[in-house]
Amino acid sequence: MNAESGFEIKPVYRPEDVPAEVPLGEPGEFPYTRGVYPTMYTKRPWTMRQYAGFGTAAESNARYHRLLEAGTMGLSVAFDLPTQMGYDSDETIAQGEVGKVGVAIDSIDDMRQLFAGIPLDQVSTSMTINAPGSVLLLLYQLVAEEQGVPGGALQGTIQNDILKEYIARGTYIFPPKPSLRLVADTFAYCRTEVPKWNTISISGYHMAEAGASPAQEIAFTLANGMEYVRAALAAGLAVDDFAPRLSFFFVARTTLLEEIAKFRAARRMWARIMRAEFGAKDPKSLMLRFHTQTAGVQLTAQQPEVNLVRVAIQALGAIAGGTQSLHTNAYDEAIALPTEKSARLALRTQQVLAYESGLTGTVDPFAGSYAIEAMTDEVEREATALIERVFSYGSVVDAIEQGFQKEEIETSAYRIANEIDAGDRVVVGVNRFTVDDQERYESLRVDPAIEAAQVARLGKLRAERDSAAVEAALADLAKAAQGTENVLPLMKDALRLRATVGEVCHTLRGVWGVYRPVERF
């Protein structure tokens, strides 16, 4: 049997299969194979997040309050497609997409409503936003300031990982070079203004959802991380000034043993890269801290209740692999947005694993397993070879422009799809153990009236605000974007005056342009 990463899984592992040259080490010590903290979950469990956001900010706010009452320890915000692409809800291109796959955030008014009644100094908030990530962070900071919460008290993460958008997802705006500048500006801004904030969540999740194998997932993610470090260094930042706030985002699949090995290998690789490649000295710069989400692509619309079992196994792999925070998908997400009941069941899955399974009693429970240690080494070997191939092009951006990562992921996805079609890879309820009659499922639907209401809110905002002041602030932002000045303070000034997300992004589009991928035949 072969692992998804390509190496052979042996029927039996023995001591000689474990590489003697790779010392296991202790938890919380270099190279962090066994975890980034000495005690891991024995003192407190991982952060349990639930990814939510749909329709209007008011509806999402109501769900956040219910999630917090149910025991969620951190919030994860989903944004609708226009927000992700830097468009306002009243633009022609946004028609039919407002509030569909997440919450619509057009201005500080919406962000204020999204977090109404939620003390931002007492929650950790993760925002899945990339190209306009800095804009949404600044809106969050402005709302916190209105609550009397200083930037130094805010904790959370913006995804802000633009490179993977060019590889696998597509919600980019600007060309790669100005996009990397914006990432570096965010690092510098947060170092002084929002020091506890994780300024980037370097994501393998979306590449995995597009078909990347476990080895490809960590190889391309760590390569992207190296590119961000280089961009920050080129902007004049010292590695130990920003590297401790880097975080990562991975998927957890149902292939339990390979996933545990993947997480352990990724930690070990990043620690070595940061020390050998970039000369990092601060131990926190060497630690690969990551959030995990269970694999949405593995959820099935057929017999959706079976997804409860899949999610539990995926979550087990993330926990045994040493994640710092976890989101468990709802079992009905292959059909539509999760219902309130299914979202609560997803959270309960984590709570059972944390408080009933005994997993939190010891650190790295799979350490020393012949199979796990051998697989950890195999995944590292495969991923290291892929990173070398990426940089043989010169840089991550050069490899992206040549289509290398995208082609590798598509090849992997095609291989897995063929194995499923042939029945060589079993998917319960799809190609084996099927049923003739599927029960009718009532899914959550987004009210189409949401778009009209959001457009009306925008019209009211534009009528009430000081338009001349907004235009002057946006002109100052454009001037800064033309030079080398950090653009975030100018963006914040404009947003405070109620400039919209779309207006800020359009201002930068006017200076930096937009990215058009080269068609390859």
Side-chain angles (χ1 to χ4, degrees):
M1 176 181 178
N2 284 341
E4 286 196 26
S5 296
F7 59 84
E8 180 188 2
I9 297 178
K10 298 181 179 181
V12 178
Y13 284 89
R14 297 183 171 85
E16 56 266 28
D17 294 310
V18 179
E21 70 275 9
V22 181
L24 189 55
E26 291 294 318
E29 294 182 6
F30 184 89
Y32 307 103
T33 308
R34 302 194 61 193
V36 291
Y37 304 121
T39 58
M40 289 303 288
Y41 312 135
T42 61
K43 301 296 184 185
R44 63 179 296 272
W46 58 94
T47 299
M48 300 178 197
R49 295 191 183 277
Q50 286 306 111
Y51 188 50
F54 67 98
T56 66
E59 288 176 303
S60 295
N61 175 262
R63 177 165 286 197
Y64 290 154
H65 279 281
R66 290 192 292 270
L67 286 170
L68 291 168
E69 290 165 4
T72 293
M73 299 156 64
L75 300 175
S76 294
V77 186
F79 297 95
D80 72 355
L81 193 56
T83 304
Q84 292 180 49
M85 298 293 290
Y87 292 108
D88 289 330
S89 297
D90 59 357
E91 296 189 56
T92 302
I93 196 170
Q95 289 181 4
E97 296 294 338
V98 176
K100 283 287 181 68
V101 297
V103 63
I105 298 293
D106 291 310
S107 72
I108 190 172
D109 292 12
D110 294 324
M111 189 66 84
R112 188 183 296 124
Q113 192 173 58
L114 183 64
F115 289 102
I118 297 174
L120 297 186
D121 56 345
Q122 297 177 32
V123 298
S124 169
T125 303
S126 175
M127 293 189 277
T128 305
I129 192 76
N130 293 283
S134 54
V135 183
L136 276 297
L137 171 60
L138 292 170
L139 288 173
Y140 187 85
Q141 184 189 10
L142 286 166
V143 170
E145 289 174 355
E146 292 178 352
Q147 292 186 2
V149 178
L154 297 178
Q155 296 188 62
T157 305
I158 46 170
Q159 193 161 101
N160 200 27
D161 175 12
I162 197 63
L163 290 175
K164 66 96 173 51
E165 297 296 325
Y166 303 113
I167 294 171
R169 195 160 174 266
T171 61
Y172 44 73
I173 300 175
F174 317 112
K177 287 184 179 178
S179 291
L180 286 172
R181 174 210 169 156
L182 190 54
V183 170
D185 279 359
T186 306
F187 289 174
Y189 177 85
C190 288
R191 180 176 171 245
T192 56
E193 300 295 324
V194 199
K196 294 181 182 177
W197 197 267
N198 296 317
T199 49
I200 192 168
S201 178
I202 306 163
S203 176
Y205 183 88
H206 300 94
M207 291 185 280
E209 292 283 280
S213 71
Q216 289 174 338
E217 179 191 358
I218 63 171
F220 298 150
T221 304
L222 298 189
N224 287 352
M226 294 168 70
E227 193 80 357
Y228 291 126
V229 171
R230 290 175 179 175
L233 293 174
L237 301 177
V239 65
D240 287 323
D241 285 344
F242 67 86
R245 302 315 307 170
L246 302 179
S247 66
F248 292 79
F249 176 24
F250 294 116
V251 80
R253 301 170 179 82
T254 53
T255 46
L256 181 67
L257 298 183
E258 188 177 1
E259 290 298 286
I260 295 170
K262 176 194 78 178
F263 295 128
R264 299 170 89 250
R267 268 195 301 273
R268 191 159 75 196
M269 292 172 67
W270 186 246
R272 290 171 175 164
I273 287 167
M274 290 304 293
R275 188 158 79 173
E277 184 85 12
F278 299 111
K281 300 276 193 295
D282 187 340
K284 292 183 179 179
S285 298
L286 311 178
M287 295 177 184
L288 183 140
R289 297 166 303 110
F290 61 94
H291 169 68
T292 309
Q293 182 173 336
T294 55
V297 75
Q298 290 187 321
L299 302 182
T300 63
Q302 301 92 329
Q303 301 180 48
E305 293 83 358
V306 178
N307 293 329
L308 286 165
V309 182
R310 292 188 177 100
V311 169
I313 292 170
Q314 293 162 358
L316 173 61
I319 296 161
T323 192
Q324 276 60 71
S325 72
L326 177 62
H327 164 81
T328 36
N329 289 328
Y331 74 90
D332 51 358
E333 287 187 41
I335 304 169
L337 286 168
T339 62
E340 187 173 338
K341 180 179 179 180
S342 68
R344 186 171 60 248
L345 280 170
L347 176 61
R348 294 289 182 257
T349 301
Q350 294 200 52
Q351 291 166 335
V352 168
L353 289 169
Y355 300 109
E356 296 187 24
S357 71
L359 274 173
T360 59
T362 188
V363 177
D364 193 19
F366 284 81
S369 157
Y370 302 147
I372 290 294
E373 299 301 345
M375 286 187 186
T376 300
D377 190 58
E378 289 278 13
V379 172
E380 180 178 3
R381 184 181 298 114
E382 295 281 342
T384 299
L386 279 168
I387 290 175
E388 290 173 355
R389 290 180 65 191
V390 168
F391 287 108
S392 71
Y393 287 85
S395 71
V396 170
V397 171
D398 292 329
I400 287 170
E401 290 176 345
Q402 292 299 312
F404 171 67
Q405 299 96 321
K406 188 172 185 291
E407 189 172 319
E408 288 290 305
I409 291 170
E410 288 173 349
T411 300
S412 174
Y414 183 68
R415 173 175 60 83
I416 296 296
N418 281 342
E419 290 175 2
I420 292 171
D421 289 344
D424 298 329
R425 183 176 295 273
V426 175
V427 180
V428 173
V430 175
N431 63 1
R432 198 181 298 184
F433 313 114
T434 58
V435 294
D436 293 331
D437 297 321
Q438 292 285 339
E439 293 182 16
R440 180 177 175 80
Y441 174 79
E442 293 297 328
S443 62
L444 181 69
R445 300 295 178 190
V446 175
D447 186 348
I450 285 171
E451 184 171 326
Q454 192 68 15
V455 169
R457 278 173 60 82
L458 268 173
K460 184 172 182 290
L461 174 144
R462 295 188 207 278
E464 293 176 347
R465 71 186 184 182
D466 185 340
S467 297
V470 170
E471 289 176 9
L474 292 174
D476 289 342
L477 172 60
K479 184 177 179 181
Q482 291 165 3
T484 59
E485 182 181 354
N486 192 315
V487 295
L488 267 72
L490 284 303
M491 289 164 58
K492 187 180 180 186
D493 290 343
L495 293 165
R496 183 186 287 109
L497 293 166
R498 300 173 82 190
T500 67
V501 172
E503 288 166 344
V504 169
C505 291
H506 286 316
T507 298
L508 297 178
R509 282 183 178 96
V511 178
W512 294 339
V514 295
Y515 179 67
R516 306 290 186 195
V518 176
E519 295 292 337
R520 299 173 72 248
F521 298 97

